[in-house]
Amino acid sequence: MLKIASYNIHKGVGTDRRRNPGRVIDVLNELDADIIALQEADRRFGPRAAAIPPLLLEQYSDYRATPLDVQTDSMGWHGNAILAHKSAQITAHDILHIPYLEPRGAVMAQIEVKGFDVSVFGMHLDLSGLWRRRQAGAIMKLAQQYGADTPTILMGDLNEWSASGGCLSVFARSYNFVDCGRSFHSRGPIARLDRIMHCDRLAAVAGGVHDSAAARKASDHLPVWAQLTRA
């Protein structure tokens, strides 16, 4: 069984408007997933330093960030990062350029863990519905290219308020959605902005929203998670 998760950490700023990456670490440890896609993993301005200091992540969590060969102080690419459990092997990684109205990007990693060899794509899509659909189409093509030989997982903050339309209808052409639940806003979830999708070579056994006291304070999003197995 493979456990994956997606989490918009809001640059480490909690619902009390205080930046506290230690609380994010607590939530990551609660999740106890094998692979986690993060959004807003870097600060917005200046050198875009990682919202979670690398030493803090190394010493107090079971995860390491996928190297993306981007800015020295950043964890991700346009805030997108992929964490893998320290027992996992990261065999490939890349940053993905997608069309955008506001600066956006996506990331991918090929990871071996628990006998699974998967291609994982993390994303944070645009606020504009038109651009979200364009971005979804671009990511689909890239996923077909990078994930041709391995089971593929797509996850992230899609910023899609529609129940089934918009960019969701684009992804649904080739991928299955895990029924995780409402993840935004963390103090009173009303929307399914955070999504996990997988190809037909995988099957979802369970999925949900991680709603803990720590998660309700650490970010304005709650993490979503899924347990997958081979189809």
Side-chain angles (χ1 to χ4, degrees), residues 117-145:
D117 186 359
V118 294
S119 294
V120 179
F121 294 78
M123 68 196 77
H124 189 182
L125 301 190
D126 209 288
L127 295 174
S128 161
L130 173 61
W131 285 96
R132 283 197 300 272
R133 289 191 292 274
R134 291 175 178 173
Q135 290 166 349
I139 291 170
M140 291 264 287
K141 291 180 181 178
L142 290 166
Q144 291 170 359
Q145 172 187 341

Side-chain angles (χ1 to χ4, degrees), residues 40-99:
E40 299 193 27
D42 301 318
R43 298 197 188 193
R44 184 174 182 181
F45 300 109
R48 294 187 63 84
I52 305 173
L55 189 61
L56 191 71
L57 184 69
E58 178 182 352
Q59 290 187 343
Y60 295 101
S61 84
D62 291 325
Y63 300 97
R64 56 193 172 106
T66 298
L68 295 173
D69 304 325
V70 291
Q71 298 182 71
T72 304
D73 296 330
S74 300
M75 175 185 290
W77 167 247
H78 291 293
N80 293 287
I82 296 175
L83 303 182
H85 194 274
K86 290 177 180 176
S87 63
Q89 181 179 358
I90 301 167
T91 58
H93 53 82
D94 205 354
I95 58 174
L96 307 177
H97 297 272
I98 59 176

Side-chain angles (χ1 to χ4, degrees), residues 156-195:
D157 179 355
L158 305 191
N159 266 322
E160 182 62 70
W161 290 74
S162 168
S164 58
C167 71
L168 303 183
S169 62
V170 178
F171 285 119
R173 296 170 190 166
S174 300
Y175 295 93
N176 305 302
F177 285 85
V178 180
D179 185 12
C180 294
R182 298 172 181 175
S183 57
F184 180 84
H185 185 281
S186 59
R187 283 188 169 178
I190 60 172
R192 297 174 179 244
L193 301 187
D194 304 283
R195 298 279 187 161

